[in-house]
């Protein structure tokens, strides 16, 4: 209950610091007898890994996952899956300057206040490197969900002021380094990220996620509403500042007569302001979410800060970092969506005898 | 794990349908030996109850809470607190028209799909009446948090297009039926809600919540980040469509150099885009959140819908309902914030020996 | 997590002190659409209630359960079931002598050490009165399990030195006040309990429990083995000192060649030293357990003790109490077995897609 | 919730099959800033590992633990500790004969029934090899508990019919291969185990465990009683058939007047039939438990059995196995006790503000 586990029946528990020997985790509650493609897990990790393009961090981690248990002759056995990803490109010296100093808007200060001790190298446990473990579990969940026809897709929706319009081509998403489903907008976003990077600065962005072909009935009433767990899942990703589903914040200005989703005769709805969820339970329509990411806190220009002894110090961004997190956040968002949905799918099996 | 519980160490489990004999719950993990004022619990319930003003539902529920255990001679004993609130004003006949029909954007359809059976009266378990149990637990949590100096306040921030500006007077909040901290804006909002109500329509809104004097160190890394649990807490409230903290969705368009919160020498920060949380852990600054509510789905004008047998039917809003939920949502938001924060406060005690 | 909840998917959370207004609980995760007979729940409570016969406590509690939610038109709806049992016969004055004194081998001392405050009346939360809530949840679980053919029976196996032999007639169990399945042995036990009671003393005993027609596959490997959860379930009942299943403690002196259960061709086994469980998972044979109960700590003769201020005091048993708990423990053992088994049945549904 | 996790605040999640690449786990909720001695963890593993003496299995596993996270410069950081133990001496061919056949009183049959798939090599997940992960977590918990003065010791109490008498010398425990605290009895037990082994047979035994200097107040009322969780912890160890604490099964034949533990003036008790626990909460006296282990199911003589297709087959014990598990079970029992106690110690911190 110290926060390193997620899920009820399909449950991921993770470990690992950015500059320790390895990161990894244990996935419990994996349904038995499902074929797993290890390459596909690696593919998802490759979508998240550093060094993919000119607009992400230039760290070089091969991020090769080793599956240590729970899979036998290509199939899940129903027992827990243990896995590790060895840390390789640890330039820990890059971080000696923050051993006693607090980088603004990083977790250095809060970890020190909470624990009284901190593995400062690369941000330690607070590094987004931890999300690689989520991608492993998510890639497994995605494969399992595919067997029941559920499909999850995420993409970059906005970078700074540049926002995606209506044109969405899923096939385009992995064709550009931004992971934006409109090639023209993607070019604009890419150029913008590069210009921000040149200034040593960073920029925020947002990711949209859609879950298609989800059966109705998933989600538990009251506290474990489908969107409440999805919201927690997304908000637990590093740098996330906000979450909305369906009409989201736009609903504030809407009237019920406009917002209500009228039924078609087959139970589908004419509009989808509900974002596929009514009363916390999936209704069979696509689940749609939007997740806001802040600009990365590590910037190149010198910033005033303080150290452990409350002395004023100067912080200069030395570590290799992303000018904008959203391109690499796309597979993480998909992973958290997949973990959450598979968990609810399994929980829903207990609803009847 | 069927979703009726919230919290890890301070844990609320609830029960109850809108038109059953009673609603209530069990609160486990209440710290021992704390003086509790039962009247103050009732006060919070009174802030949530129907029939308070002309702009909320005219149902008449006295919502009197009975504490059944866990309190002895005015103090908590550390054992679980059981409580019930008897349901009084149940005009169940009002709902016979939805026994087999599905109201648009309500949970009728999804409950039927999930369970194959539904207590349709007043929405049953999906009714926001359930939130009264949260207010009881929240009022207890608030009193306990007050002993350690933590203060939680929520207020209406927006109704439809009418938004609060900078003027915020906490003392004004309960002075007007909207629970808006600016008397002039409150008047505008009230008039707007009344006009919407006259049309038989409903309108969305948003609630802001601030948690002040929170010690640094609360929140658990990785999955149980402070804002992730707060997000889940808020998203689990009926009609909520979005959650943001600190800079929230505005962070999308911001640069790191603008977004970073620079430290003062005492560890406080010059700005608070972090919303009091860095790396999922409180930093001692005020925690700030904004929660988006959709317009209530029950409207008076006739709507096309379907019934169990996929026949087209007409739905007319008959039940007494709120034209805008945010005035009554204020104490619910405070309650969920208090429950979440007290839970993290207790969890944080286990961080050191 | 303060210990008032039991179960993972089928989960009971309880509240209530012996001499407060009421006890009760919330049962979450009840499968939907199952017919429930409320009278049958009351029947189980009546088997547990005080005052049934000359060999149990003479307190008079009618122990009438009120179901407050989760049941609609005679069927479970899948939402949480809330229930209360009003406390009636509270002679709280009987307990004023222990307000500041500690009864030997009761929980008075430990509650004071843990919480620094104690509702001393009737033992407060530590009273076995709490088990009535378990019987309610157990009676519901039993009815649900009956739909899938699972049958649970418990009976008194030993009282003091008097032990049941091979003759077991299930129909006899509720024919005698001891709940022993051999009428002749029951008479001996009854006479013995009466003689012990006459001396103002109490006596230990044991209860056997059998679970029949359990499908194979229930129980989760490693920590949540079927017998590990059953053991916890039984050990959580007041006055229990030991738990064994199958060959139990006799296995210590056995050889593998004698202990191994050889298979019949249909997968059943020729012997059942495994007690229906291999590797923590049910194998389809009857699950058999034996639970040891200590003699009740309340006795009539004066005992030396101490008070809060470490002064020596005299304790004399004044409250009405059972000379031997096992007759009333039988329905409690059945209830905990039913709750545990139904939970594992539901958990097992998530093992495959 | 598939059973691979144990604990609430101090929580171990494990993975690993006997003949996969590695076993290991994640330990979450480790208190921060505690010095950890890695060698001491390895020492405990060495006490459990195969091949230590002539009376245990002759498999050769070096069982070297690698700590992958959560420890920085010799101290715990409060973040999760990941660890792996590589599997080395896997003679998987030894097990080809059970690919489709079910060994009597093993978990082969039940795993197949539950999952429909089984990693048969060395018993897979059902192998007691999994307990090495518990020893790692337990060794960490023991070190942390030592800081607050709590001391846990276990020893072999009985092998077959040979039972320890009153003579108990803690220093003798690791001086003999049986781990019995009386050198003379140990010799008898050793000789007996050797004779049983010569016959290709196996023998049961029991382990006693004492927890000393435990502060009063640990354990949570109702379901999470201290002895209930300790019972679950012990019953979850492979081959355990029974658990008792304090007077245990002897209490059945005792009278209250004999069983009650009268207080000394300092709150200690003159006797300890309560086994250090009253009402599920520690009272400051030593916690005493006894755990019954069955004879190992793998025996050399040919046994009739069945295969997947219900055909009769012959099973001959080929894998290297222990003739008696209790010598190697001693560190496992200590580990589970330490994990459980540390968890309750941390939970108890939340009892007051």
């Amino acid at each position: 209950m110290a926060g390193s586990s997620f899920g009820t029946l399909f449950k991921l528990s993770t470990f690992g610091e950015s500059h320790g020997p390895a990161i990894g985790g244990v996935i419990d509650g994996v349904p038995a007898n499902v074929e797993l493609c290890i390459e596909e897990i690696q593919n998802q990790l490759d979508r998240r890994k550093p060094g993919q393009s000119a607009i992400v961090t230039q760290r070089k981690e091969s991020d090769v996952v080793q599956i240590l248990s729970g899979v036998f002759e290509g199939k899940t056995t129903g027992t827990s899956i243990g896995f590790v990803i060895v840390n390789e490109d640890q330039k820990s010296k890059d971080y000696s300057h923050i051993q006693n100093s607090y980088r603004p808007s990083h977790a250095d200060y809060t970890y020190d206040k909470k624990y009284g001790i901190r593995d400062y190298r690369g941000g330690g446990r607070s590094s987004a490197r931890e999300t690689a473990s989520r991608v492993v579990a998510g890639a497994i969940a995605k494969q399992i969900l595919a067997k029941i026809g559920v499909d999850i897709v995420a993409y970059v929706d906005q970078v700074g002021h540049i926002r995606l319009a209506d044109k969405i081509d899923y096939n385009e998403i992995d064709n550009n380094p931004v992971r934006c489903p409109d090639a023209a907008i993607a070019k604009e976003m890419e150029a913008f990220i590069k210009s921000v990077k040149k200034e040593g600065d960073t920029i925020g962005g947002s990711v949209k996620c859609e879950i298609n072909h989800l059966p109705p009935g998933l989600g538990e009433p009251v506290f474990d509403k489908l969107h409440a767990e999805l919201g927690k899942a997304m908000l637990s990703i590093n740098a996330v500042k906000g979450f909305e589903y369906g009409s989201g914040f736009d609903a504030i200005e809407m009237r019920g007569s406009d917002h209500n989703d009228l039924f078609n005769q087959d139970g589908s709805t004419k509009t989808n302001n509900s974002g596929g969820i009514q009363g916390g339970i999936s209704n069979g329509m696509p689940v749609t979410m939007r997740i806001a990411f802040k600009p990365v806190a590590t910037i190149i220009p010198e910033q005033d800060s303080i150290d452990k002894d409350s002395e004023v110090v100067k912080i200069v961004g030395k570590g290799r970092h992303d000018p904008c997190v959203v391109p690499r956040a796309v597979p993480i968002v998909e992973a958290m969506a997949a973990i959450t949905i598979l968990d609810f799918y399994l929980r829903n099996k207990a609803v009847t005898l």
Side-chain angles (χ1 to χ4, degrees), chain A:
Chain A
M1 290 295 173
S4 294
S5 295
F6 188 83
T8 296
L9 291 178
F10 182 81
K11 183 154 101 186
L12 170 66
S13 301
T14 70
F15 68 86
E17 276 82 44
S18 182
H19 287 229
I23 62 168
V26 177
I27 311 165
D28 206 16
V30 184
N33 241 325
V34 181
E35 276 186 48
L36 266 198
C37 173
I38 307 297
E39 292 71 36
E40 184 45 33
I41 302 173
Q42 190 60 51
N43 287 348
Q44 292 298 327
L45 275 174
D46 292 347
R47 294 177 81 207
R48 195 213 74 99
K49 80 175 175 191
Q52 299 169 56
S53 75
I55 60 166
V56 304
T57 173
Q58 296 306 304
R59 281 196 310 275
K60 292 288 176 196
E61 296 270 4
S62 58
D63 280 1
V64 176
V65 65
Q66 302 170 53
I67 301 291
L68 300 176
S69 67
V71 182
F72 185 58
E73 299 177 347
K75 287 185 172 178
T76 59
T77 60
T79 63
S80 55
I81 295 182
F83 65 91
V84 291
I85 300 168
V86 172
N87 290 330
E88 291 172 344
D89 185 31
Q90 307 152 358
K91 302 198 176 173
S92 299
K93 280 181 201 157
D94 279 7
Y95 296 93
S96 58
H97 65 299
I98 59 159
Q99 180 167 2
N100 296 308
S101 299
Y102 301 133
R103 292 169 296 169
S105 287
H106 272 279
D108 306 334
Y109 176 81
T110 53
Y111 268 65
D112 250 19
K113 287 287 163 186
K114 185 176 187 74
Y115 297 113
I117 183 173
R118 172 168 59 98
D119 179 352
Y120 57 86
R121 302 164 305 164
R125 185 71 172 145
S126 75
S127 165
R129 176 145 186 77
E130 160 268 315
T131 56
S133 295
R134 306 181 185 211
V135 171
V136 172
I140 290 171
K142 267 182 98 168
Q143 289 189 48
I144 296 171
L145 286 170
K147 313 284 180 193
I148 52 164
V150 177
D151 179 62
I152 296 172
V153 63
Y155 50 82
V156 169
D157 169 66
Q158 189 169 352
V159 170
H161 60 286
I162 308 171
R163 192 159 182 176
L164 186 66
D166 288 341
K167 202 185 135 200
I168 288 172
D169 176 1
Y170 289 165
N171 295 318
E172 179 57 33
I173 296 171
D174 279 317
N175 271 351
N176 63 71
V178 185
R179 291 205 171 87
C180 172
D182 177 327
I185 302 282
K187 280 258 176 271
E188 276 185 65
M189 288 172 169
E190 188 181 352
F192 182 52
I193 294 172
K194 282 180 177 167
S195 77
V196 167
K197 187 187 173 188
K198 196 167 283 175
E199 297 173 44
D201 213 341
T202 59
I203 187 74
S206 75
V207 173
K208 263 203 163 174
C209 183
E210 297 173 20
I211 306 169
N212 294 300
H213 312 301
L214 194 64
L218 305 198
E220 301 295 324
V222 187
F223 298 109
D224 295 356
K225 291 186 165 84
L226 184 55
H227 56 267
E229 284 289 358
L230 283 168
K232 179 182 167 182
M234 299 308 161
L235 286 157
S236 76
I237 300 173
N238 302 45
V240 172
K241 300 293 295 184
F243 170 87
E244 60 180 4
Y245 73 103
S247 56
F249 277 83
D250 290 345
I252 296 171
E253 304 200 12
M254 290 175 78
R255 288 175 181 236
S257 53
D258 288 328
H259 193 273
N260 283 357
D261 294 318
L262 299 185
F263 284 103
N264 296 311
Q265 256 191 287
D266 64 358
S268 67
T269 58
K270 294 176 201 301
T271 49
N272 189 16
N273 288 311
S274 299
I277 304 171
Q278 285 162 338
I281 299 169
S282 65
N283 67 356
M285 294 292 289
V287 171
T288 61
M289 305 170 272
R290 190 161 164 257
I291 302 113
F293 289 81
K294 72 171 187 176
V296 171
T298 302
I299 58 175
I300 300 300
E302 191 179 83
Q303 298 175 93
D304 277 342
S305 194
I306 57 169
D307 66 12
K308 274 187 173 176
D309 307 314
S310 296
E311 298 295 326
V312 172
V313 296
K314 300 286 181 193
I315 295 280
V316 183
K318 282 190 196 156
R320 294 152 296 171
H321 63 274
D322 292 272
C324 180
V325 294
V326 288
R328 291 177 60 209
V330 164
I332 305 168
V333 164
E334 288 179 7
M336 290 310 296
I339 292 169
T340 307
I341 293 297
L342 179 55
D343 192 31
F344 275 113
Y345 178 81
L346 296 174
R347 290 171 74 172
N348 199 45
K349 286 173 150 279
V351 157
T352 48
L353 265 192

